[in-house]
Amino acid sequence: MRKHLVIALAAICALGAGCGRSTSGTAAPTPPSSTGKSAKDLVPETVRKSGELRMATSEGYPPMEMYKPGTQEMTGVDADLATAIGARLGLRTRIINASFDGLIPGLQGGRWDIAMAALSDLEQRRKAVDFVDYFNAGGSIMVKKGNPEGIKTLADLCGKKVVLAKGSSNLEIGKRQDDRCAQKMEIMQSEDAPTGLLTIDSGRTVATIVDSPVAAMYAKETGKYDVLPEQYDAGPWGIAIDKKQTGLRDAVAKALQELIDNGEYGKILEKYGTTANAVAKVTINTGA
């Protein structure tokens, strides 16, 4: 894992409980579904006059946000979705790279309109912003290609040598499982996901747990790993919008639902190997 990815992960964890993934128990306000208006019709006048949708993100968390090789042009799931949402709203999307811990303060200060950076929808964050939930992700087990140990579930990790990234929510998933194991795991802690994968390559460990979209990316890029389908501690990731901007929030939610309905959302997630993280319906503030 590149250094900036480690920083991003640390920041994510610092702003939430663990890395913030958990199931929802919160009543969900529903996005505007009809009223005969399109997403474009719902855009607040102040934003319409500006002609652009300012989206802030924090580069360094592939496949969600990263630079195209050799360029300073942002790409990834969040960048592509933001551009598509802007188009539905009749706006040009301007992507701004910012520090992760400055994303929400930037929204509150009016420096940008939305923030998309693999942000878990958490109660703590909802004190400051609303979330249009667009992605569902948890930790997935990664094993060597072909799964020679025949691992199928977390319980199959009992008695096995497992590597987990320090300070990650995935380490907590592994520890919770280990508490339930009659035959304990041998848990090695790595600095980050890529160095953990090196221990699988060398046979020092047999499995790890990595955020599912990131796991899918590594598996696709290297061809050396299998990612098991089940996700643990999965929960919604949301597009953050300042609580005062309810009109823009509803416009973004409507635009995203239109992208889901016309198939463009699915094509973007498929492009980055994250189809398993798709949602069928947009919700607002449905995190833990």
Side-chain angles (χ1 to χ4, degrees):
M1 188 178 295
R2 295 177 302 211
K3 184 175 181 181
H4 49 244
L5 178 53
V6 178
I7 293 170
L9 283 168
I12 289 168
C13 294
L15 283 177
C19 277
R21 295 190 306 259
S22 57
T23 55
S24 171
T26 306
T30 54
S33 56
S34 56
T35 68
K37 292 184 176 181
S38 69
K40 191 175 180 178
D41 294 333
L42 295 173
V43 176
E45 187 61 24
T46 52
V47 179
R48 191 191 314 278
K49 284 182 177 178
S50 75
E52 66 177 10
L53 181 68
R54 301 170 298 169
M55 187 279 259
T57 189
S58 188
E59 188 275 338
Y61 197 64
M64 304 307 291
E65 37 266 332
M66 58 224 176
Y67 287 128
K68 290 181 179 178
T71 76
Q72 292 294 300
E73 183 181 353
M74 200 76 75
T75 188
V77 175
D78 287 342
D80 287 12
L81 279 178
T83 301
I85 289 169
R88 296 298 303 184
L89 298 178
L91 302 169
R92 177 178 62 85
T93 300
R94 178 158 63 96
I95 299 175
I96 303 155
N97 190 33
S99 65
F100 187 87
D101 56 3
L103 293 175
I104 290 177
L107 284 171
Q108 295 176 302
R111 294 199 295 276
W112 35 77
D113 302 306
I114 65 174
M116 297 179 71
L119 280 160
S120 295
D121 175 352
L122 300 174
E123 182 179 9
Q124 178 185 349
R125 292 174 179 154
R126 289 198 299 275
K127 294 175 182 176
V129 296
D130 285 333
F131 284 101
V132 176
D133 296 328
Y134 68 103
F135 202 79
N136 196 65
S140 292
I141 297 172
M142 293 185 74
V143 297
K144 184 174 288 190
K145 190 76 175 178
N147 195 2
E149 299 287 332
I151 294 167
K152 296 179 180 177
T153 68
L154 277 179
D156 293 331
L157 299 180
C158 295
K160 300 288 196 304
K161 294 181 178 179
V162 177
V163 61
L164 299 165
K166 291 178 181 176
S168 69
S169 55
N170 296 312
L171 174 61
E172 297 307 312
I173 293 171
K175 286 182 174 178
R176 288 204 308 271
Q177 177 58 45
D178 194 42
D179 289 341
R180 297 190 285 266
C181 290
Q183 186 178 359
K184 296 300 182 184
M185 300 179 197
E186 187 176 329
I187 297 177
M188 177 186 296
Q189 295 190 32
S190 62
E191 290 298 325
D192 46 54
T195 52
L197 291 174
L198 293 176
T199 69
I200 295 178
D201 296 346
S202 63
R204 288 177 288 161
T205 64
V206 300
T208 185
I209 304 171
V210 177
D211 285 356
S212 60
V214 181
M217 179 202 66
Y218 285 133
K220 180 180 179 182
E221 288 190 349
T222 66
K224 297 195 296 185
Y225 311 102
D226 285 342
V227 181
L228 305 192
E230 188 167 355
Q231 297 181 42
Y232 302 95
D233 286 5
W237 292 0
I239 302 169
I241 301 172
D242 186 78
K243 278 191 168 297
K244 297 187 295 293
Q245 302 294 337
T246 53
L248 179 61
R249 179 200 68 189
D250 291 348
V252 168
K254 189 68 181 289
L256 185 59
Q257 188 62 52
E258 289 175 359
L259 292 170
I260 291 173
D261 294 342
N262 71 13
E264 190 172 352
Y265 166 87
K267 290 178 181 176
I268 291 172
L269 266 60
E270 184 178 7
K271 176 181 176 183
Y272 295 100
T274 57
T275 301
N277 305 104
V279 299
K281 183 175 177 59
V282 176
T283 56
I284 295 174
N285 293 336
T286 50

